[in-house]
Amino acid sequence: MSVVSAAPFLRPPCLRSPGPQGRRHTLPASEFRSLSPEDAISVFEIEREAFISVSGECPLHLDEVRHFLTLCPELSLGWFEEGRLVAFIIGSLWDRERLTLDALTLHKPHGTTVHVHVLAVHRTFRQQGKGSILMWRYLQYLRCLPCVRRAVLMCEEFLVPFYQKSGFKAQGPSEITVGPLTFIEMFYPVRGHAFMRRNSGC
């Protein structure tokens, strides 16, 4: 899957120091980019704190984070502030209408649905709207990927309004449960691929 055309969403222009002798090692104040296996520990630390403190369960364990960032890094998006990961999304491809237990661990390279496994924000940066901004950028990025037709996720009921604000629609209860936890499955139709490619720099 080519992501070259999606570069405008992933790598905004870096802010450089004025003058010809600007420091080349200066990190951009804010950067969005795909994650790599080298980011796995930072990802898992944020995820563990965000989810275990609320539900006692992590959507992805460390080995699963590495698994998806190795197989399909182009379906992840990290938000970095001065080189520090502050929020992220990890996704993979799926090839069915609804999620099943296999969707938690598998990446289906020929699928047309992106399964959003997890969105998490570092505790220091919560209540600042970063989760909504990151999801918006991610969904715009998905529009640049010609094979993607829809995005799906499952979440606890109290998170449904958050995802509805991003344009997701509820499909009803998920067949997946984790211990005592139950989930609502939601989907987002990724529309207008040709239009977006012509008009967004994709």
Side-chain angles (χ1 to χ4, degrees), residues 68-139:
F68 287 118
L69 294 186
T70 299
L71 287 180
C72 47
E74 71 278 5
L75 295 175
S76 67
L77 184 60
W79 186 343
F80 293 80
E81 296 280 359
E82 298 182 348
R84 178 188 182 189
L85 181 65
V86 301
F88 70 87
I89 292 173
I90 292 178
S92 66
L93 286 178
W94 184 239
D95 59 359
R96 300 184 189 176
E97 185 74 13
R98 299 292 296 265
L99 296 173
T100 68
L101 201 57
D102 285 344
L104 301 184
T105 56
L106 296 181
H107 168 60
K108 299 285 192 173
H110 301 294
T112 60
T113 294
V114 171
H115 173 203
V116 179
H117 292 271
V118 57
L119 181 160
V121 179
H122 191 283
R123 63 181 179 275
T124 306
F125 298 90
R126 289 178 201 151
Q127 307 303 318
Q128 298 176 20
K130 279 184 163 53
S132 296
I133 293 169
L134 184 63
M135 179 58 79
W136 180 85
R137 290 190 73 114
Y138 187 73
L139 294 173

Side-chain angles (χ1 to χ4, degrees), residues 51 54-55 59 98-99 104 115-119 135 152-165 168-178 181-187:
F51 285 89
V54 175
S55 65
R98 299 292 296 265
L99 296 173
L104 301 184
H115 173 203
V116 179
H117 292 271
V118 57
L119 181 160
M135 179 58 79
V152 298
L153 59 81
M154 61 184 203
C155 64
E156 291 183 77
E157 192 165 358
F158 75 94
L159 286 170
V160 167
F162 169 82
Y163 288 110
Q164 285 176 328
K165 288 178 183 177
F168 282 84
K169 303 179 188 299
Q171 291 195 102
S174 172
E175 71 174 55
I176 301 170
T177 60
V178 179
L181 299 178
T182 60
F183 305 96
I184 302 297
E185 192 165 323
M186 307 189 74
F187 78 99

